[in-house]
Amino acid sequence: YYLYEDYEAEEYIASKINYLINKETTQYKNIDMRMKQLEDMYHIEYSDKQKEAIIKALENNILIVTGGPGTGKTTIIKAIVDLYKMLNKLSVKDLISNIALLAPTGRASKRMSEGANLPATTIHRFLKWNKETDEFMINEYNPDFSNLIIVDEVSMIDNKLMNSLLRGLTNNIKLVLVGDYNQ
């Protein structure tokens, strides 16, 4: 037995994820060429698994990136952001309005921001949490219109917060969930 509101949250999370999985994917021309340009730009050679994750993050509507400490999750996040910028020919200003980098804690969002060279924030701040009323200003009635959402430290997010986050996003998003499978 558990509370009905918890059941509703789980149902919404599952239905939103199912929708994103079944939604038509995006196909980019020359994505492999752009990937090579990215490697040349940073003098790095991504592993096959990293390349697969980076490309699938931009082609699919939802992707889970998982790995233990030091496996390159932050490197993948930065590459996803940079490749998204290249493929969509965005300025830094446009990139900031199109992408949201989120984490459950301030420390994690700061680490994410430093790794991706882009502003990151906590999920609560992104959803404009009102501490007095315990409500989020970003919700299904007032959604955020970012196109790419990357959420780090996903294992630290409970159902209530994940439900609120997904309700605050439009259906026209790419969602990348990053976490450590050991957590």
Side-chain angles (χ1 to χ4, degrees), residues 147-161:
N147 296 318
L148 174 63
I149 311 290
I150 303 175
V151 187
D152 199 4
E153 300 288 350
V154 173
S155 62
M156 295 174 59
I157 303 172
D158 64 16
N159 280 349
K160 182 180 178 192
L161 185 56

Side-chain angles (χ1 to χ4, degrees), residues 10 15-16 23 27-28 35 48 51 57 64 72 76 101 115 118 124 126 138 159 169 171-172 178:
E10 287 180 7
S15 69
K16 183 78 165 205
K23 186 178 169 223
Q27 298 302 315
Y28 288 101
M35 194 68 211
D48 289 341
K51 286 179 189 176
I64 298 172
I76 289 171
L101 301 179
L118 204 66
H124 282 80
F126 173 77
I138 300 295
N159 280 349
L169 302 176
N171 286 330
N172 189 29
V178 182

